[in-house]
Amino acid sequence: MVMSIASIFNFFMPISLAIDSNCDFYQELVMGEEYYIYNQEYPNYYTPSTACRWVGKSPEDTNIVLSCENIDLPSSTNCQGDHLSISLTGDESFTNATNYCGQTALTVITEGNSLAVGLFATSDSPGGRYVCALTAIQVTPHTTSTEKPHVCDCGWRLSPRIIGGHETGVNEFPLMGGLIDASTTELFCGASIISERYALTAAHCLLHQEPTNVGLLVGDHNLTTGTDTAAAALYRVVEFKPHPFYDSSVQQNDIAVVKTQLPIKFSVYVGPVCLPFRYTLADFYSATVIALGWGFLDFSGPKSDTLQEVDLSVVSNTECAASIPDPISANQICTYASMRDACLSDSGGPLLWQDPHTRKLQLVGIISYGIGCATKKPGVNTRVTSYLSWIASVTSDAVYCIK
């Protein structure tokens, strides 16, 4: 069974193969819609001998993002028993598909604009269930060039101009943005540029705010001067898109998109971060990540005038849950480093992992909250790989460079 956020699929088309004809579906995906596929009996278990297929096709020059938060199938060696088959080329016979079983979650992106998903169960299957979301996204041709802004690129980092300490170089991180309260001219949260009209931040940053009172600052370094960089610009925000299931009581789904009125002018000093479409199966455990922000230098101290960076280590969610009173979900990613941390007003800013092969900066987290600053407790961040399908669905007019 398949449905979109707005409505249940109304255009099923049967496909003739040895698959159950009552469970064989085809759908043309529309940009901006988020669709769901799941076993027909969901949330109950499917029956033995299930053989179902879902084939999707999106417009030319797009890819499909598939996110499965709940795969709960019986485990078997090499998934030879019950399995979920996923072909990222849209192969309807699944000859090049990857099979999944057991209890897992995943996010993958197609190689082109076609996707095929099959659910196959043995005759003596005890049953299982799954649910996935899929969204079409616009992409630009792959290139290794770093010329800007004429070709696809993302996540570049300029050589730092300041050595030592925790201050970044001027425009070292072109992806960095900040949310400005127009009534006070104060920067109150961080943000990350993801495309010409969109930036990602934390949902809690937008509480008690209106788009008409917020601007997106890009290309800046020292907030108190106008002489350190000519790249600084302030863009009017016209729309907030917080996650529909954001829960402020426990900071679950703490993610939001802000849209600017005018396109952000990209240059070598201002540009988008890479979204981690190619790293959706990574948990980043023990990886070193970079947190950025103009937040308080310590819990009771002053804000920083200049953009600060700190290196943190990703810790397991199990370790994190043992130290944090709020529930920690798989959609969050925790970080820690002795005597180092993101702090107040860093919220909404990026948690960056640098791919060791491409050297591109991938946005793996959004700073959410912590218990104090630089305490012995980990910081809690929103895990971006869990929300790629949602991000794509609410930025349907955006074009993404995937590296």
Side-chain angles (χ1 to χ4, degrees):
M1 185 173 295
V2 186
M3 69 176 185
S4 75
I5 283 181
S7 61
I8 297 178
F9 271 11
N10 294 316
F11 305 99
F12 291 143
M13 302 177 189
I15 301 175
S16 59
L17 271 182
I19 291 171
D20 183 352
S21 62
N22 294 316
C23 196
D24 200 359
F25 307 112
Y26 173 83
Q27 175 67 29
E28 292 190 2
L29 277 65
V30 177
M31 294 292 296
E33 289 284 347
E34 186 172 27
Y35 301 90
Y36 291 93
I37 60 175
Y38 44 86
N39 58 288
Q40 290 184 308
E41 303 84 354
Y42 192 88
N44 296 320
Y45 280 9
Y46 55 76
T47 57
S49 301
T50 289
C52 294
R53 178 176 58 187
W54 297 263
V55 175
K57 189 170 184 178
S58 59
E60 294 294 327
D61 298 321
T62 67
N63 291 148
I64 301 171
V65 179
L66 177 74
S67 297
C68 303
E69 294 187 6
N70 179 20
I71 297 177
D72 184 8
L73 274 61
S75 296
S76 60
T77 302
N78 297 324
C79 294
Q80 294 177 344
D82 291 15
H83 58 271
L84 194 68
S85 291
I86 300 176
S87 169
L88 298 180
T89 63
D91 178 9
E92 298 175 16
S93 61
F94 301 103
T95 54
N96 66 354
T98 301
N99 295 333
Y100 299 88
C101 61
Q103 293 185 334
T104 187
L106 61 90
T107 300
V108 292
I109 186 168
T110 59
E111 297 175 14
N113 65 331
S114 297
L115 172 74
V117 178
L119 175 64
F120 303 98
T122 62
S123 59
D124 59 349
S125 169
R129 61 185 180 183
Y130 86 100
V131 61
C132 301
L134 57 156
T135 308
I137 64 168
Q138 293 182 346
V139 295
T140 51
H142 180 74
T143 177
T144 56
S145 172
T146 56
E147 181 185 357
K148 303 169 209 40
H150 306 293
V151 297
C152 163
D153 205 357
C154 63
W156 65 90
R157 178 181 183 178
L158 303 184
S159 298
R161 303 176 193 169
I162 297 176
I163 307 300
H166 296 292
E167 182 178 354
T168 72
V170 176
N171 298 128
E172 181 181 350
F173 296 92
L175 60 94
M176 187 64 190
L179 299 182
I180 303 294
D181 187 316
S183 61
T184 64
T185 69
E186 290 289 324
L187 185 145
F188 62 90
C189 268
S192 302
I193 302 168
I194 59 172
S195 73
E196 286 187 331
R197 296 282 300 279
Y198 296 102
L200 276 182
T201 189
H204 79 261
C205 289
L206 306 182
L207 294 175
H208 315 299
Q209 291 283 357
E210 296 293 333
T212 54
N213 191 53
V214 175
L216 177 67
L217 178 68
V218 303
D220 210 346
H221 178 71
N222 190 323
L223 300 178
T224 62
T225 73
T227 59
D228 57 334
T229 174
L234 185 64
Y235 290 86
R236 185 185 299 274
V237 170
V238 294
E239 189 175 4
F240 291 162
K241 299 183 180 184
H243 195 278
F245 299 121
Y246 168 58
D247 185 346
S248 61
S249 64
V250 290
Q251 298 302 337
Q252 291 291 329
N253 304 306
D254 190 13
I255 184 172
V257 170
V258 297
K259 184 177 184 178
T260 59
Q261 183 180 45
L262 298 175
I264 300 168
K265 185 178 180 180
F266 288 172
S267 69
V268 70
Y269 305 113
V270 175
V273 69
C274 298
L275 291 177
F277 290 110
R278 298 191 183 279
Y279 305 94
T280 55
L281 299 181
D283 61 12
F284 299 103
Y285 174 64
S286 77
T288 297
V289 293
I290 303 167
L292 299 176
W294 286 277
F296 290 85
L297 297 175
D298 59 61
F299 192 73
S300 59
K303 286 185 180 180
S304 172
D305 293 332
T306 56
L307 184 62
Q308 304 287 308
E309 67 173 301
V310 61
D311 290 343
L312 303 170
S313 295
V314 176
V315 299
S316 71
N317 281 22
T318 301
E319 181 181 349
C320 188
S323 304
I324 302 294
D326 296 325
I328 301 298
S329 75
N331 297 332
Q332 293 169 304
I333 182 170
C334 296
T335 51
Y336 178 76
S338 179
M339 303 305 294
R340 288 176 287 166
D341 198 3
C343 202
L344 303 175
S345 293
D346 288 328
S347 290
L351 205 64
L352 304 168
W353 173 73
Q354 188 167 40
D355 184 319
H357 303 292
T358 66
R359 310 303 295 170
K360 299 298 182 182
L361 294 170
Q362 304 284 332
L363 182 66
V364 299
I366 297 171
I367 298 170
S368 183
Y369 73 97
I371 308 299
C373 301
T375 66
K376 293 183 179 181
K377 299 181 183 296
V380 182
N381 313 274
T382 303
R383 188 182 293 269
V384 173
T385 51
S386 296
Y387 297 94
L388 292 174
S389 178
W390 175 78
I391 293 168
S393 72
V394 297
T395 61
S396 60
D397 57 336
V399 177
Y400 292 108
C401 183
I402 300 174
K403 290 196 171 184

